[in-house]
Amino acid sequence: MDAGFAMKKTTLWTDCTLATMQDNGVPYGMIENGNIVLQGSKIMWVGAAKDMPAQYLRDATDFRSAGGRLVTPGLIDCHTHLVYAGDRAKEFEMRLQGASYEDIAKAGGGIVSTVKATRQASADELLEQTQLRLRQLISEGVTTIEVKSGYGLDLETERKCLTVARRLTHDHAVTVRTTFLGAHAVPPELAGDSDGYIDEVIHMLTVLHGEGLVDAVDAFCERIGFSIAQTQRVFEAAKALKLPVKLHAEQLSDSGGAALAAQFGALSCDHLEWLSEAGVKAMAQAGTVAVLLPGAYYFLRETKLPPIDLLRQHGVPIAIATDCNPGSSPCTSLLLMLNMACTFFKLTPEEAFAGVTRNAAKALDLHDRGILAAGMRADIAIWDARTPAQLCYAIGANPLYQSIQNGQTQ
Ligand SMILES: [Zn+2]
């Protein structure tokens, strides 16, 4: 046997109920009585046991049975603000005790309180707090996450947050994609000068990109965030650096952000409750993914639903994410988001599940994961379930049996 080959462990998993999530016309790309062959960090073969070439039986050095369990791609959370310090539980409590937004602002609440706590925390403290949230995501079969900056709003703290995001991969079996969201809010020291802050955002982006900390660029385009013209300036800067863009768009009003993002070939537009048909068409043409965030919809008690039927009609891929953040979605359960995407947004379980696998990979421009197929990365979740619909249906359950990240059993 070839020595180089012998060094790579080949694992044959048998008796799998495979939800490959391949877009092949079969619901969930389902294969009953399936096998999956992993070699090193890659999937070598996947299919019905009866079709498996004999060579894989010969090559296998490690034999495992899934016992008929559901085997899916590892889950992908494609929109999180995971790195922040402190929480806003006090504010939550005050609101429920009858305090007004003004009272809360006076007591130092809101995003400013998170910015303050994040600036004050050391990198190690920030890492520790973030790891708690990350562990919860990973415990539910998540193998890839996106992490946005945006609670620093100055160069030093934005750098600290992105560095912490990169460090998450040192101790945890997870892929992290970083997104620079300097244009999240105007920092308190520049209140009233949002144009001046955008100059600073562009400066920070250039520096942090130079340090290898940025995989994509995002902005909060909204009447309480940044205008279309300001967003466009950030996107022009991203384009000059050849960085892909994403956008928090049409969450609270229809400001035309999605159409602007589509002009820049955005990977995704996220939230989208107020998205117009023109915005849907622009996204469809650009191949932009619609990332829906049911956690924020729920926590803010929104009532306006994203235009799901239009997204379907125009073939816009839909992804689902936690939007984990202290202000509007303190959520670390992607499984709960699957349920809420079905109950609130009336996605079918198949659409919702594609939203945390195949389409979430697309939203992060990752072409080596999100489906089970030969040549893909061996990021796999094995569940005490028989169908993905069971994962969407249950509320507060975690039937993860085992997760495999980059070929390593966790
Ligand atoms: Zn967000």
Short mmCIF file of all heavy atoms in Angstrom, two decimals, residues 79 81 111 148-150 153 180-186 198 201 217-228 230-231 234-235 246-253 255 257 270-272 293 300 323 328:
data_model
loop_
_atom_site.label_atom_id
_atom_site.label_comp_id
_atom_site.label_asym_id
_atom_site.label_seq_id
_atom_site.Cartn_x
_atom_site.Cartn_y
_atom_site.Cartn_z
N HIS A 79 -24.68 34.36 10.20
CA HIS A 79 -24.83 35.76 10.64
C HIS A 79 -24.83 35.79 12.16
O HIS A 79 -25.83 35.45 12.79
CB HIS A 79 -26.14 36.33 10.06
CG HIS A 79 -26.42 37.77 10.44
ND1 HIS A 79 -26.97 38.66 9.54
CD2 HIS A 79 -26.26 38.46 11.59
CE1 HIS A 79 -27.13 39.84 10.14
NE2 HIS A 79 -26.72 39.74 11.39
N HIS A 81 -23.12 38.11 15.72
CA HIS A 81 -22.29 39.17 16.32
C HIS A 81 -21.75 38.56 17.61
O HIS A 81 -22.01 39.06 18.70
CB HIS A 81 -23.14 40.40 16.65
CG HIS A 81 -23.96 40.93 15.49
ND1 HIS A 81 -23.67 42.14 14.89
CD2 HIS A 81 -25.03 40.44 14.83
CE1 HIS A 81 -24.55 42.36 13.91
NE2 HIS A 81 -25.39 41.34 13.86
N ILE A 111 -27.07 50.02 22.68
CA ILE A 111 -25.82 49.54 22.05
C ILE A 111 -24.60 50.20 22.69
O ILE A 111 -23.54 49.57 22.81
CB ILE A 111 -25.85 49.76 20.51
CG1 ILE A 111 -24.65 49.09 19.85
CG2 ILE A 111 -25.92 51.22 20.14
CD1 ILE A 111 -24.75 48.99 18.34
N LYS A 148 -19.26 38.90 13.13
CA LYS A 148 -19.10 40.30 12.75
C LYS A 148 -18.45 41.08 13.88
O LYS A 148 -18.70 40.81 15.05
CB LYS A 148 -20.47 40.93 12.48
CG LYS A 148 -21.23 40.26 11.35
CD LYS A 148 -22.62 40.84 11.22
CE LYS A 148 -23.53 39.94 10.41
NZ LYS A 148 -23.15 39.79 9.00
N SER A 149 -17.66 42.09 13.51
CA SER A 149 -17.23 43.07 14.51
C SER A 149 -18.36 44.09 14.64
O SER A 149 -19.46 43.85 14.18
CB SER A 149 -15.94 43.74 14.05
OG SER A 149 -16.21 44.59 12.95
N GLY A 150 -18.13 45.21 15.28
CA GLY A 150 -19.16 46.25 15.30
C GLY A 150 -19.59 46.69 16.69
O GLY A 150 -20.51 47.48 16.83
N LEU A 153 -16.21 50.03 17.35
CA LEU A 153 -16.44 51.33 16.72
C LEU A 153 -15.23 52.26 16.87
O LEU A 153 -15.35 53.45 16.65
CB LEU A 153 -17.73 52.00 17.24
CG LEU A 153 -19.00 51.12 17.25
CD1 LEU A 153 -20.18 51.93 17.78
CD2 LEU A 153 -19.31 50.56 15.87
N PHE A 180 -16.20 42.62 8.82
CA PHE A 180 -16.00 43.94 9.43
C PHE A 180 -17.29 44.74 9.35
O PHE A 180 -17.78 45.03 8.26
CB PHE A 180 -14.86 44.68 8.72
CG PHE A 180 -14.68 46.09 9.20
CD1 PHE A 180 -14.23 46.35 10.49
CD2 PHE A 180 -14.96 47.17 8.37
CE1 PHE A 180 -14.06 47.66 10.94
CE2 PHE A 180 -14.80 48.49 8.81
CZ PHE A 180 -14.35 48.73 10.10
N LEU A 181 -17.86 45.05 10.52
CA LEU A 181 -19.11 45.82 10.58
C LEU A 181 -18.85 47.12 11.37
O LEU A 181 -19.53 47.42 12.34
CB LEU A 181 -20.22 44.96 11.21
CG LEU A 181 -21.60 45.58 11.44
CD1 LEU A 181 -22.23 46.07 10.14
CD2 LEU A 181 -22.54 44.59 12.13
N GLY A 182 -17.83 47.85 10.94
CA GLY A 182 -17.57 49.14 11.57
C GLY A 182 -18.79 50.04 11.46
O GLY A 182 -19.12 50.79 12.39
N ALA A 183 -19.49 49.95 10.33
CA ALA A 183 -20.69 50.78 10.12
C ALA A 183 -21.92 50.13 10.73
O ALA A 183 -22.91 49.83 10.07
CB ALA A 183 -20.90 51.02 8.62
N HIS A 184 -21.80 49.87 12.05
CA HIS A 184 -22.91 49.25 12.81
C HIS A 184 -23.70 50.37 13.48
O HIS A 184 -24.93 50.37 13.48
CB HIS A 184 -22.29 48.31 13.86
CG HIS A 184 -23.27 47.41 14.53
ND1 HIS A 184 -22.97 46.70 15.68
CD2 HIS A 184 -24.54 47.07 14.23
CE1 HIS A 184 -24.01 45.99 16.04
NE2 HIS A 184 -24.98 46.19 15.19
N ALA A 185 -22.99 51.32 14.08
CA ALA A 185 -23.62 52.46 14.77
C ALA A 185 -22.55 53.56 14.86
O ALA A 185 -21.36 53.27 14.75
CB ALA A 185 -24.06 52.06 16.17
N VAL A 186 -23.00 54.78 15.07
CA VAL A 186 -22.05 55.88 15.26
C VAL A 186 -21.59 55.84 16.72
O VAL A 186 -22.43 55.77 17.63
CB VAL A 186 -22.72 57.24 14.94
CG1 VAL A 186 -21.73 58.39 15.18
CG2 VAL A 186 -23.21 57.26 13.49
N ILE A 198 -17.98 57.63 8.97
CA ILE A 198 -17.76 56.77 7.79
C ILE A 198 -16.32 56.92 7.26
O ILE A 198 -15.70 55.93 6.85
CB ILE A 198 -18.82 57.05 6.68
CG1 ILE A 198 -20.21 56.59 7.15
CG2 ILE A 198 -18.44 56.37 5.36
CD1 ILE A 198 -20.40 55.10 7.31
N VAL A 201 -14.50 54.64 9.41
CA VAL A 201 -14.80 53.25 9.07
C VAL A 201 -13.93 52.80 7.90
O VAL A 201 -13.34 51.71 7.91
CB VAL A 201 -16.30 53.09 8.71
CG1 VAL A 201 -16.58 51.75 8.01
CG2 VAL A 201 -17.17 53.20 9.98
N VAL A 217 -17.29 42.53 4.32
CA VAL A 217 -17.65 43.84 4.87
C VAL A 217 -19.17 43.98 4.91
O VAL A 217 -19.86 43.61 3.96
CB VAL A 217 -17.04 44.96 4.00
CG1 VAL A 217 -17.43 46.33 4.54
CG2 VAL A 217 -15.52 44.83 3.95
N ASP A 218 -19.66 44.50 6.02
CA ASP A 218 -21.11 44.64 6.23
C ASP A 218 -21.39 46.05 6.73
O ASP A 218 -20.48 46.77 7.16
CB ASP A 218 -21.52 43.60 7.31
CG ASP A 218 -23.03 43.37 7.39
OD1 ASP A 218 -23.81 44.14 6.80
OD2 ASP A 218 -23.42 42.41 8.10
N ALA A 219 -22.65 46.47 6.64
CA ALA A 219 -23.08 47.77 7.18
C ALA A 219 -24.53 47.65 7.61
O ALA A 219 -25.24 46.73 7.18
CB ALA A 219 -22.93 48.86 6.12
N PHE A 220 -24.94 48.56 8.49
CA PHE A 220 -26.33 48.60 8.95
C PHE A 220 -27.00 49.78 8.24
O PHE A 220 -26.85 50.92 8.63
CB PHE A 220 -26.36 48.77 10.47
CG PHE A 220 -27.74 48.77 11.08
CD1 PHE A 220 -28.71 47.85 10.69
CD2 PHE A 220 -28.07 49.69 12.06
CE1 PHE A 220 -29.98 47.85 11.26
CE2 PHE A 220 -29.34 49.70 12.65
CZ PHE A 220 -30.30 48.78 12.23
N CYS A 221 -27.69 49.45 7.14
CA CYS A 221 -28.32 50.49 6.31
C CYS A 221 -29.78 50.61 6.76
O CYS A 221 -30.59 49.72 6.52
CB CYS A 221 -28.23 50.07 4.85
SG CYS A 221 -28.93 51.27 3.71
N GLU A 222 -30.08 51.69 7.45
CA GLU A 222 -31.42 51.84 8.04
C GLU A 222 -31.57 53.27 8.49
O GLU A 222 -30.58 53.96 8.71
CB GLU A 222 -31.53 50.86 9.24
CG GLU A 222 -32.90 50.64 9.81
CD GLU A 222 -33.90 50.13 8.79
OE1 GLU A 222 -33.77 48.99 8.31
OE2 GLU A 222 -34.82 50.90 8.49
N ARG A 223 -32.81 53.71 8.66
CA ARG A 223 -32.97 55.11 9.08
C ARG A 223 -32.33 55.37 10.44
O ARG A 223 -31.89 56.48 10.72
CB ARG A 223 -34.44 55.52 9.07
CG ARG A 223 -35.31 54.61 9.90
CD ARG A 223 -36.77 55.01 9.90
NE ARG A 223 -37.44 54.08 10.82
CZ ARG A 223 -38.58 53.48 10.57
NH1 ARG A 223 -39.23 53.70 9.46
NH2 ARG A 223 -39.09 52.64 11.45
N ILE A 224 -32.23 54.34 11.29
CA ILE A 224 -31.53 54.52 12.56
C ILE A 224 -30.06 54.09 12.47
O ILE A 224 -29.35 54.06 13.47
CB ILE A 224 -32.22 53.77 13.73
CG1 ILE A 224 -32.27 52.28 13.44
CG2 ILE A 224 -33.60 54.32 13.99
CD1 ILE A 224 -32.50 51.44 14.69
N GLY A 225 -29.63 53.71 11.24
CA GLY A 225 -28.24 53.31 11.04
C GLY A 225 -27.57 54.27 10.07
O GLY A 225 -27.47 55.46 10.35
N PHE A 226 -27.15 53.73 8.92
CA PHE A 226 -26.45 54.55 7.94
C PHE A 226 -27.27 54.66 6.66
O PHE A 226 -28.02 53.74 6.31
CB PHE A 226 -25.07 53.96 7.68
CG PHE A 226 -24.19 54.04 8.90
CD1 PHE A 226 -24.14 52.98 9.80
CD2 PHE A 226 -23.48 55.19 9.19
CE1 PHE A 226 -23.38 53.06 10.97
CE2 PHE A 226 -22.72 55.29 10.35
CZ PHE A 226 -22.67 54.23 11.23
N SER A 227 -27.10 55.78 5.97
CA SER A 227 -27.89 56.04 4.76
C SER A 227 -27.36 55.22 3.58
O SER A 227 -26.28 54.64 3.65
CB SER A 227 -27.81 57.53 4.42
OG SER A 227 -26.49 57.83 4.00
N ILE A 228 -28.13 55.24 2.49
CA ILE A 228 -27.70 54.59 1.26
C ILE A 228 -26.36 55.17 0.79
O ILE A 228 -25.44 54.43 0.43
CB ILE A 228 -28.78 54.82 0.16
CG1 ILE A 228 -30.01 53.94 0.45
CG2 ILE A 228 -28.25 54.56 -1.23
CD1 ILE A 228 -29.85 52.50 0.02
N GLN A 230 -24.03 56.65 2.51
CA GLN A 230 -22.93 56.25 3.41
C GLN A 230 -22.57 54.78 3.20
O GLN A 230 -21.40 54.41 3.18
CB GLN A 230 -23.35 56.51 4.86
CG GLN A 230 -23.42 58.00 5.18
CD GLN A 230 -24.09 58.28 6.51
OE1 GLN A 230 -24.90 57.49 7.01
NE2 GLN A 230 -23.77 59.43 7.10
N THR A 231 -23.60 53.95 3.03
CA THR A 231 -23.36 52.53 2.78
C THR A 231 -22.56 52.36 1.49
O THR A 231 -21.63 51.55 1.41
CB THR A 231 -24.70 51.77 2.70
OG1 THR A 231 -25.43 51.99 3.92
CG2 THR A 231 -24.50 50.29 2.49
N VAL A 234 -18.91 52.86 1.97
CA VAL A 234 -18.25 51.71 2.60
C VAL A 234 -18.05 50.60 1.55
O VAL A 234 -16.98 49.98 1.47
CB VAL A 234 -19.09 51.18 3.79
CG1 VAL A 234 -18.47 49.91 4.37
CG2 VAL A 234 -19.22 52.26 4.86
N PHE A 235 -19.06 50.38 0.72
CA PHE A 235 -18.97 49.32 -0.30
C PHE A 235 -17.91 49.65 -1.35
O PHE A 235 -17.21 48.75 -1.83
CB PHE A 235 -20.33 49.12 -0.97
CG PHE A 235 -21.32 48.34 -0.14
CD1 PHE A 235 -22.59 48.06 -0.65
CD2 PHE A 235 -20.99 47.86 1.12
CE1 PHE A 235 -23.50 47.33 0.10
CE2 PHE A 235 -21.90 47.13 1.87
CZ PHE A 235 -23.16 46.87 1.36
N LYS A 246 -21.83 42.38 2.37
CA LYS A 246 -23.12 41.88 2.86
C LYS A 246 -23.83 43.10 3.45
O LYS A 246 -23.18 44.09 3.70
CB LYS A 246 -22.93 40.87 3.98
CG LYS A 246 -21.83 39.88 3.77
CD LYS A 246 -21.51 39.08 5.01
CE LYS A 246 -22.52 38.00 5.25
NZ LYS A 246 -22.49 36.92 4.29
N LEU A 247 -25.12 43.00 3.71
CA LEU A 247 -25.78 44.18 4.25
C LEU A 247 -26.94 43.83 5.17
O LEU A 247 -27.75 42.95 4.87
CB LEU A 247 -26.31 45.06 3.09
CG LEU A 247 -26.82 46.45 3.50
CD1 LEU A 247 -25.69 47.32 4.05
CD2 LEU A 247 -27.49 47.16 2.32
N HIS A 248 -27.00 44.54 6.33
CA HIS A 248 -28.21 44.54 7.16
C HIS A 248 -29.18 45.49 6.44
O HIS A 248 -28.96 46.70 6.44
CB HIS A 248 -27.92 45.12 8.55
CG HIS A 248 -27.19 44.18 9.47
ND1 HIS A 248 -25.90 43.81 9.29
CD2 HIS A 248 -27.62 43.55 10.60
CE1 HIS A 248 -25.54 42.98 10.28
NE2 HIS A 248 -26.57 42.81 11.08
N ALA A 249 -30.21 44.94 5.83
CA ALA A 249 -31.05 45.77 4.95
C ALA A 249 -32.52 45.54 5.22
O ALA A 249 -32.95 44.43 5.54
CB ALA A 249 -30.74 45.44 3.49
N GLU A 250 -33.31 46.61 5.06
CA GLU A 250 -34.77 46.53 5.08
C GLU A 250 -35.31 45.80 6.32
O GLU A 250 -36.25 45.04 6.25
CB GLU A 250 -35.29 45.77 3.86
CG GLU A 250 -35.29 46.31 2.47
CD GLU A 250 -34.20 47.22 1.94
OE1 GLU A 250 -33.90 48.24 2.58
OE2 GLU A 250 -33.72 46.95 0.85
N GLN A 251 -34.68 46.05 7.48
CA GLN A 251 -35.18 45.43 8.72
C GLN A 251 -36.37 46.20 9.28
O GLN A 251 -37.35 45.59 9.70
CB GLN A 251 -34.07 45.36 9.78
CG GLN A 251 -34.54 44.68 11.07
CD GLN A 251 -33.51 44.72 12.20
OE1 GLN A 251 -32.47 45.34 12.09
NE2 GLN A 251 -33.82 44.04 13.28
N LEU A 252 -36.26 47.52 9.28
CA LEU A 252 -37.30 48.34 9.92
C LEU A 252 -38.03 49.22 8.92
O LEU A 252 -39.07 49.79 9.24
CB LEU A 252 -36.66 49.22 11.02
CG LEU A 252 -35.80 48.47 12.05
CD1 LEU A 252 -35.02 49.45 12.92
CD2 LEU A 252 -36.67 47.56 12.92
N SER A 253 -37.48 49.34 7.72
CA SER A 253 -38.12 50.16 6.68
C SER A 253 -37.52 49.74 5.33
O SER A 253 -36.48 49.09 5.29
CB SER A 253 -37.83 51.64 6.92
OG SER A 253 -36.43 51.88 6.85
N SER A 255 -35.50 50.89 2.65
CA SER A 255 -34.64 52.02 2.29
C SER A 255 -33.89 51.77 0.99
O SER A 255 -33.08 52.60 0.58
CB SER A 255 -33.66 52.30 3.43
OG SER A 255 -32.91 51.15 3.72
N GLY A 257 -31.71 49.40 0.43
CA GLY A 257 -30.36 48.89 0.68
C GLY A 257 -30.06 47.61 -0.08
O GLY A 257 -28.94 47.41 -0.57
N ASP A 270 -29.46 40.76 4.67
CA ASP A 270 -29.91 40.08 5.88
C ASP A 270 -31.01 40.88 6.57
O ASP A 270 -30.99 42.11 6.54
CB ASP A 270 -28.72 39.89 6.82
CG ASP A 270 -27.55 39.13 6.16
OD1 ASP A 270 -27.27 39.36 4.97
OD2 ASP A 270 -26.92 38.32 6.84
N HIS A 271 -31.95 40.18 7.18
CA HIS A 271 -33.18 40.70 7.82
C HIS A 271 -34.31 40.73 6.79
O HIS A 271 -35.10 39.82 6.73
CB HIS A 271 -33.00 42.09 8.46
CG HIS A 271 -32.26 42.04 9.75
ND1 HIS A 271 -32.77 41.44 10.87
CD2 HIS A 271 -31.05 42.52 10.08
CE1 HIS A 271 -31.88 41.56 11.85
NE2 HIS A 271 -30.84 42.20 11.40
N LEU A 272 -34.46 41.84 6.04
CA LEU A 272 -35.33 41.92 4.85
C LEU A 272 -36.83 41.91 5.08
O LEU A 272 -37.59 41.67 4.13
CB LEU A 272 -34.97 40.76 3.87
CG LEU A 272 -33.52 40.72 3.40
CD1 LEU A 272 -33.27 39.47 2.57
CD2 LEU A 272 -33.17 41.97 2.58
N LEU A 293 -33.65 36.23 9.79
CA LEU A 293 -33.20 36.17 11.18
C LEU A 293 -34.41 36.15 12.12
O LEU A 293 -34.80 37.18 12.68
CB LEU A 293 -32.29 37.39 11.44
CG LEU A 293 -31.11 37.48 10.46
CD1 LEU A 293 -30.42 38.82 10.55
CD2 LEU A 293 -30.11 36.34 10.70
N LEU A 300 -37.82 41.33 19.04
CA LEU A 300 -38.32 42.71 18.88
C LEU A 300 -39.84 42.74 18.68
O LEU A 300 -40.42 43.80 18.48
CB LEU A 300 -37.63 43.39 17.69
CG LEU A 300 -36.11 43.56 17.81
CD1 LEU A 300 -35.53 44.12 16.52
CD2 LEU A 300 -35.75 44.47 18.98
N ASP A 323 -28.21 35.46 14.27
CA ASP A 323 -28.01 36.90 14.51
C ASP A 323 -27.58 37.12 15.97
O ASP A 323 -27.88 38.16 16.55
CB ASP A 323 -29.31 37.68 14.20
CG ASP A 323 -29.10 39.20 14.17
OD1 ASP A 323 -27.94 39.64 14.06
OD2 ASP A 323 -30.11 39.93 14.25
N SER A 328 -30.79 42.50 20.19
CA SER A 328 -32.04 42.10 19.56
C SER A 328 -32.19 40.60 19.30
O SER A 328 -33.25 40.16 18.86
CB SER A 328 -32.22 42.85 18.23
OG SER A 328 -31.18 42.50 17.34
#
